[in-house]
Amino acid sequence: MQATRAEVKLVGRRLNEELKSQDAHSVGICRVRSRLHEQCFDEIIRQVTITCAARGTLLNRIHEEIRRRIKNYETLYESANAYGLRSCLRGGGRKDDMLSRIKVLEKTNLELEVKIEQEMQQRALVQKSFEASYETIIADHEAYKASEKDRYNALMHTYTEKIKVASFDKTKTKTKLRPISSSGPTVIKE
């Protein structure tokens, strides 16, 4: 005896009524919904088995494989949820550690920025002092060069004056040697 269209519709209607009456969730993993769908599938397999035993046996094997896969997926899902919960709990402790580390690093960063600012101010003062002393050294050096140049010019002036006087005296005086006595020559100036 083959299952009629009316029997299939009746099974579908009963499934929908049971889902509503037992408040099965339409989203996520719901044990009630899974149980009702399995019962419906078992009923369909029963109806197919009445018509053709080989086809019913094959559907039953497929149904068992689907049950095993669903069971594995449920285990995996529960394991993932447990892992997520453990990670979240462990992460909470690490979060506090990280927040305290962030505070320490921010404080260190501020201290280093203040130190950099102080060093920059110190550098500016040293630079200003260096520039002032450099200008003083340059001015002293220029003054020293000028005084040495003046001293050199004065020495040269004195030397040239002595040379002029000496050459003037040479042209003015002529020396003649004449023998006057047996003691030696006598110099006569004109």
Side-chain angles (χ1 to χ4, degrees):
M1 167 178 195
Q2 193 171 6
T4 63
R5 190 187 267 306
E7 288 176 343
V8 173
K9 285 185 179 181
L10 180 65
V11 171
R13 238 181 290 136
R14 273 195 281 165
L15 174 65
N16 288 334
E17 288 171 3
E18 286 296 318
L19 286 171
K20 286 181 184 175
S21 68
Q22 293 188 20
D23 291 329
H25 299 288
S26 61
V27 179
I29 295 176
C30 177
R31 299 246 182 235
V32 173
R33 190 180 72 214
S34 296
R35 184 176 46 82
L36 291 173
H37 278 102
E38 279 195 32
Q39 287 174 359
C40 180
F41 198 57
D42 286 337
E43 179 61 26
I44 292 171
I45 290 172
R46 186 190 68 75
Q47 290 176 2
V48 169
T49 305
I50 291 172
T51 307
C52 178
R55 196 177 281 168
T57 306
L58 182 60
L59 278 175
N60 198 24
R61 278 181 47 201
I62 292 171
H63 187 222
E64 289 302 319
E65 178 61 28
I66 290 172
R67 280 185 191 155
R68 277 195 299 272
R69 283 191 184 186
I70 289 174
K71 185 69 175 165
N72 288 339
Y73 290 146
E74 285 176 350
T75 305
L76 183 63
Y77 177 76
E78 290 168 0
S79 174
N81 278 342
Y83 176 76
L85 183 60
R86 283 193 309 269
S87 295
C88 184
L89 292 174
R90 236 181 317 160
R94 284 193 294 183
K95 183 179 177 183
D96 293 339
D97 292 343
M98 288 295 176
L99 287 175
S100 65
R101 177 120 172 92
I102 287 171
K103 286 181 183 177
V104 167
L105 290 174
E106 285 176 344
K107 182 180 177 186
T108 305
N109 191 19
L110 287 175
E111 290 171 356
L112 289 174
E113 286 177 355
V114 168
K115 191 173 182 181
I116 287 171
E117 186 63 33
Q118 290 172 347
E119 290 294 327
M120 292 300 283
Q121 289 174 355
Q122 182 67 27
R123 181 176 177 253
L125 289 175
V126 168
Q127 179 85 20
K128 221 182 256 186
S129 170
F130 173 76
E131 288 172 357
S133 65
Y134 179 75
E135 289 173 5
T136 304
I137 289 170
I138 294 295
D140 290 347
H141 179 70
E142 291 298 325
Y144 176 74
K145 275 179 22 180
S147 71
E148 286 298 310
K149 188 175 182 181
D150 290 344
R151 194 173 127 225
Y152 172 78
N153 288 338
L155 282 173
M156 287 305 288
H157 181 70
T158 305
Y159 180 70
T160 54
E161 286 297 318
K162 283 184 180 179
I163 289 176
K164 284 181 187 176
V165 168
S167 68
F168 179 72
D169 285 344
K170 274 187 182 178
T171 58
K172 197 173 174 186
T173 40
K174 290 184 180 174
T175 56
K176 292 183 185 178
L177 291 178
R178 43 178 200 181
I180 298 182
S181 68
S182 59
S183 62
T186 310
V187 175
I188 301 173
K189 292 184 182 177
E190 293 181 8

